[in-house]
Amino acid sequence: MKANHSAPPWLQDEPELRALLGEVLNRLDKHVGTRQQRIYLPAEKYLPTLKQQDQEADLLWSLVKQLTDLNLCAIKEGKRNVHYDPEWKGARLAFTPQAEAPLRDWLQRPQEKPALQSWREAIAQQIFPGDTKPLLKRRIAIPNMSDQEVATAFAQIGTTKESLTPRQLSARYFRGDSKRLDGREELLLKLFPELPLKPRPILINIYLPRACNGVLFIENQDSYALACEGRPRDTQGLALVYVAGFRGTAGRLRQREGVCLHYSGPGQAEWQESFEAWWFDQAPPFGPLAFWGDLDFSGMGILSSLRQRFGEVNAWEPGYRPLLKCLRNGGGHTLEAADKQSQNDPGKVGCEFADQELLPAVRAFGGVDQELLG
């Protein structure tokens, strides 16, 4: 059948058949690369009138047969009782590749250009000094921006002369939205090898007491705030570092250009210089290093990462002992109940206390969050 063949006169009055044919085009639009394959649709699912098995169902089925006469589809019979079931029982309609052109003509749905093709054409119109293969591989869709607008925004990044962070670049070129380039630093450097990309500094909150006898990394904000007030008592005399989950495990954590250290506490003037000399690997630590966080796999994973960045960091026993007791006495939660089932068991972290007591308890009983201790 040719694409310019006029639609059957009954098509406008048959919403179920129009919806059925529209679904055929929907499938074709989603699977551009498989247009030579037939599309199978269960007749009763897409033509619910057939379930009535009455005069209206008979009429509708006769119209389906007209589609087969026009070589648009074939009827694949299903299992049925030939004495009791109608002939459409369990039947599937197989639409041929040749059906696409006439159906688009009938329903006035011209074939749209595939999204990836449109994206690649938009990128090809721009100039990038570097490798565009990663950009061409996957379309970057941004609400309320066309492919052309997104491609142009990316190209404009190459005109930047000053050193900016990805968040600043995103806000400048993507209509004030600062998050569109999150996780795309590698892509930017491939597109623009000479781009003066500025790493976004990691903000680290540090509390320095008058006397510093060691350093305690703390995972959660509430526990850090209480520790700054001297609770629990064992936190007194320790420099406190709020690592905010996995933020404290970043590879550039100990590079001056990679972090922004914010200080509080009465010992700032006396201890800041010594603290930074240790932090940036210019001096040995001025006391034991410890970590206190949630008693779960995630917390132990942070401990493992901190040991990679800072050396001999151990689980802080004054904080973990009460959590461990609570967990062993049935006061904890299963990882599934706290939506922590995706946490990975780190295996061994290198801290004797963690490896021999904390991790076996988590594997056996679940977890406890450090905010339990107020």
Side-chain angles (χ1 to χ4, degrees):
M1 184 177 182
K2 296 181 180 181
N4 60 1
H5 193 289
S6 59
W10 44 259
L11 188 59
Q12 283 297 119
D13 299 324
E14 296 295 334
E16 289 185 15
L17 277 171
R18 286 181 61 84
L20 171 75
L21 302 182
E23 177 61 21
V24 174
L25 296 182
N26 291 342
R27 300 284 183 93
L28 290 169
D29 289 338
K30 289 181 180 179
H31 304 285
V32 177
T34 57
R35 292 184 181 275
Q36 298 307 310
Q37 299 180 8
R38 291 193 173 196
I39 294 175
Y40 292 86
L41 298 178
E44 292 172 287
K45 176 180 178 180
Y46 290 94
L47 302 172
T49 295
L50 295 178
K51 297 178 181 179
Q52 300 174 188
Q53 300 187 23
D54 56 10
Q55 194 172 22
E56 288 186 25
D58 292 334
L59 175 59
L60 184 60
W61 191 246
S62 69
L63 299 180
V64 171
K65 287 184 174 180
Q66 290 188 32
L67 296 178
T68 65
D69 293 339
L70 296 171
N71 295 321
L72 294 180
C73 72
I75 298 174
K76 302 298 181 181
E77 294 185 355
K79 293 182 179 180
R80 62 188 180 93
N81 188 314
V82 295
H83 299 290
Y84 302 103
D85 294 328
E87 57 183 301
W88 58 77
K89 180 69 174 180
R92 295 186 301 157
L93 304 179
F95 287 85
T96 65
Q98 292 74 23
E100 179 176 2
L103 294 188
R104 290 195 182 280
D105 185 50
W106 292 0
L107 301 181
Q108 298 182 357
R109 280 183 53 176
Q111 181 178 336
E112 296 183 1
K113 187 179 297 184
L116 185 58
Q117 180 183 343
S118 174
W119 168 250
R120 289 174 173 172
E121 291 176 357
I123 295 300
Q125 296 174 23
Q126 306 297 330
I127 298 176
F128 297 92
D131 182 9
T132 60
K133 291 179 182 177
L135 194 61
L136 294 170
K137 187 176 182 180
R138 181 176 299 175
R139 176 174 177 257
I140 298 177
I142 296 179
N144 301 319
M145 291 184 71
S146 67
D147 287 343
Q148 186 64 53
E149 290 171 329
V150 175
T152 299
F154 268 100
Q156 288 176 337
I157 293 175
T159 65
T160 305
K161 302 301 181 184
E162 56 190 309
S163 180
L164 298 176
T165 68
R167 285 284 179 99
Q168 291 172 317
L169 288 170
S170 181
R172 177 173 294 189
Y173 296 111
F174 290 91
R175 298 180 179 176
D177 188 340
S178 66
K179 299 178 179 61
R180 290 301 168 186
L181 296 177
D182 284 3
R184 294 193 167 108
E185 291 88 346
E186 185 177 350
L187 171 62
L188 292 177
L189 292 176
K190 286 185 176 180
L191 294 173
F192 311 103
E194 303 300 323
L195 182 69
L197 192 63
K198 181 180 179 182
R200 191 180 184 210
I202 302 169
L203 300 180
I204 304 292
N205 290 299
I206 300 161
Y207 177 88
L208 297 176
R210 286 191 175 88
C212 285
N213 302 312
V215 178
L216 177 62
F217 297 95
I218 299 180
E219 178 181 1
N220 295 299
Q221 179 177 333
D222 288 1
S223 299
Y224 172 77
L226 286 174
C228 291
E229 298 174 2
R231 294 183 289 167
R233 183 177 300 178
D234 293 285
T235 60
Q236 298 176 20
L238 297 175
L240 308 174
V241 181
Y242 173 44
V243 294
F246 283 97
R247 184 181 69 183
T249 67
R252 51 196 170 91
L253 189 65
R254 305 194 76 174
Q255 302 171 6
R256 290 189 180 274
E257 66 276 11
V259 296
C260 185
L261 305 182
H262 283 250
Y263 295 95
S264 62
Q268 295 179 60
E270 181 178 357
W271 292 101
Q272 180 174 336
E273 184 177 349
S274 299
F275 184 91
E276 292 189 9
W278 158 70
W279 187 277
F280 297 117
D281 272 338
Q282 297 176 9
F286 45 79
L289 307 179
F291 167 72
W292 180 36
D294 294 337
L295 181 51
D296 56 20
F297 289 145
S298 177
M300 295 297 97
I302 297 174
L303 172 60
S304 178
S305 296
L306 287 172
R307 289 176 63 87
Q308 295 175 22
R309 306 300 178 199
F310 292 92
E312 195 69 17
V313 183
N314 292 305
W316 191 54
E317 291 201 36
Y320 275 115
R321 283 291 179 194
L323 298 180
L324 182 60
K325 181 179 179 180
C326 174
L327 185 58
R328 286 173 171 169
N329 290 337
H333 53 255
T334 64
L335 300 185
E336 291 77 13
D339 293 327
K340 297 179 179 180
Q341 60 268 31
S342 61
Q343 292 188 4
N344 295 319
D345 187 336
K348 288 189 176 182
V349 301
C351 165
E352 183 176 348
F353 175 44
D355 289 337
Q356 294 187 4
E357 297 191 56
L358 299 182
L359 277 166
V362 174
R363 295 180 187 118
F365 304 110
V368 179
D369 293 343
Q370 72 175 137
E371 290 92 342
L372 178 70
L373 302 183

